[in-house]
Amino acid sequence: MTLPAFLRLGLACAGLAFACAAPAQVPTGKGPLRLVVGYPAGGSADVQARTLADKLAADLGVAVVVENRTGAGGQIAADYVRGTAPDGLTVLLANMHMMVMLPLTSRSVRYDPVKDFAAVGRIATFYEGLAVPAALPAKDVREWLALARTDASRGSYGVPAPGSVSQFIGFRLGSEAGVKLTAVPYRGAAPLVQDLLGNQVAAGITPIADLVQYQQAGKIRILAVNGAQRAAQLPDVPTLKELGQPHFDNLEWTGLFVPAATPAATVAQLHAALGKALAQPDVKERLAKLSSDANPSTPEALTRLIAEDLQRWGPVIKASGFSTE
């Protein structure tokens, strides 16, 4: 009998053959488990993967190796995992950008985020922040929008990548406020933050992990975050929802995925191991240092979240006219 990864079936009971659950083990001669990340070593996605690797290895009884397959905003990694054997030994760590924004903005994406993958579970959620240089005479979002309404140059906002969630948060904010805001795409958050510190761009929208230390040092001013409630890392910063913008309560997220044909028992075993890892205090603490919150979900809930995010952002992206082609 060929058995799913991480699950053995034994026969028992006085000459009668029937299946009984047994401890999870790697099939003989197979392994290690490869945890594939679409971003470079040292980035937040990579750190999440390496934080989980040892925990998953201990629970599953198999070596876990983090493999960075970078390029095209994560497309290369996702497309690679999609084509691997559905045995549970190749797992993708993906974010909302890879599973929602890229399929909506790029015709070159060859994978379907729902049909080509089975969700294992969400890892974490994180906030986006709207920040301005400390020298900018705008103390809140209303004042920044007022400046942008009278001076178009004050309505330029940097984003860490073209087609990112950050870009469309800005587009939607401007559209709903009746103010023209212009996205300025950067190649990563670091140069964006440097221009904010140097007062070279009027504003920036990026994950708060890129901003918190400079807010604390008084070098920038974070005017608002997305989300239904305030970020624990920024308790004094209001949400856009608090400020009368009702469509910004969803957060960005990361999760684990396997190829679509992976057996349900294997997905369940991986999900259980992920849940145990995320419940451990040192994992929660490490994620918190990345300005992320451990926020596990069932595979079904993560699949629904992707479908909801596609429906939420599809019309916004269409209205913006944006395409990577």
Side-chain angles (χ1 to χ4, degrees):
M1 177 182 292
T2 301
L3 306 180
F6 320 121
L7 188 66
R8 295 285 194 184
L9 297 180
L11 299 178
C13 287
L16 295 177
F18 62 93
C20 302
Q25 297 178 7
V26 177
T28 303
K30 291 189 177 182
L33 184 153
R34 293 181 297 160
L35 184 50
V36 179
V37 181
Y39 301 97
S44 60
D46 177 75
V47 173
Q48 285 191 23
R50 296 181 191 279
T51 299
L52 293 172
D54 289 345
K55 308 296 185 182
L56 295 175
D59 187 81
L60 297 169
V62 56
V64 177
V65 177
V66 176
E67 186 174 307
N68 300 89
R69 289 182 172 262
T70 64
Q75 283 187 59
I76 290 174
D79 203 48
Y80 170 74
V81 172
R82 176 188 66 146
T84 60
D87 56 8
L89 290 174
T90 306
V91 180
L92 175 68
L93 191 153
N95 57 17
M96 181 179 166
H97 183 72
M98 294 165 63
M99 292 303 205
V100 177
M101 309 315 286
L102 284 176
L104 289 173
T105 60
S106 176
R107 296 178 184 174
S108 66
V109 171
R110 295 183 293 176
Y111 57 85
D112 184 302
V114 175
K115 295 179 180 179
D116 290 336
F117 297 95
V120 172
R122 187 171 55 197
I123 299 168
T125 51
F126 57 96
Y127 289 79
E128 294 264 342
L130 165 60
V132 297
L136 192 78
K139 305 303 183 186
D140 55 36
V141 174
R142 181 185 59 79
E143 290 183 3
W144 176 59
L145 291 172
L147 285 175
R149 187 175 282 110
T150 57
D151 181 352
S153 67
R154 301 295 182 96
S156 296
Y157 64 98
V159 297
S164 60
V165 178
S166 307
Q167 177 167 341
F168 299 112
I169 287 176
F171 173 80
R172 187 167 198 172
L173 178 62
S175 296
E176 294 185 356
V179 180
K180 181 174 175 54
L181 302 177
T182 303
V184 181
Y186 285 76
R187 298 189 65 173
L192 161 58
V193 172
Q194 287 305 307
D195 275 3
L196 272 176
L197 295 173
N199 202 26
Q200 300 300 307
V201 64
I205 301 177
T206 191
I208 64 170
D210 306 319
L211 303 171
V212 170
Q213 63 176 312
Y214 301 107
Q215 162 93 349
Q216 293 171 343
K219 295 181 177 180
I220 63 171
R221 188 180 306 112
I222 303 177
L223 304 181
V225 296
N226 62 339
Q229 57 190 21
R230 295 189 181 194
Q233 300 87 350
L234 297 166
D236 297 328
V237 176
T239 66
L240 286 167
K241 188 173 184 178
E242 284 180 69
L243 300 176
Q245 302 289 339
H247 299 127
F248 298 92
D249 56 353
N250 61 304
L251 300 176
E252 288 197 69
W253 49 263
T254 54
L256 294 185
F257 299 83
V258 289
T262 303
T266 302
V267 174
Q269 188 69 36
L270 287 166
H271 172 71
L274 175 62
K276 291 177 184 177
L278 292 174
Q280 297 187 36
D282 59 327
V283 173
K284 292 182 179 180
E285 181 179 355
R286 186 68 178 121
L287 292 174
K289 289 181 178 178
L290 297 171
S291 294
S292 296
D293 299 305
N295 196 351
S297 74
T298 65
E300 295 79 12
L302 181 52
T303 300
R304 287 195 301 271
L305 178 59
I306 293 172
E308 291 167 0
D309 280 342
L310 288 167
Q311 291 180 346
R312 177 182 293 113
W313 290 106
V316 178
I317 292 168
K318 184 177 181 180
S320 76
F322 177 85
S323 173
T324 58
E325 275 70 35

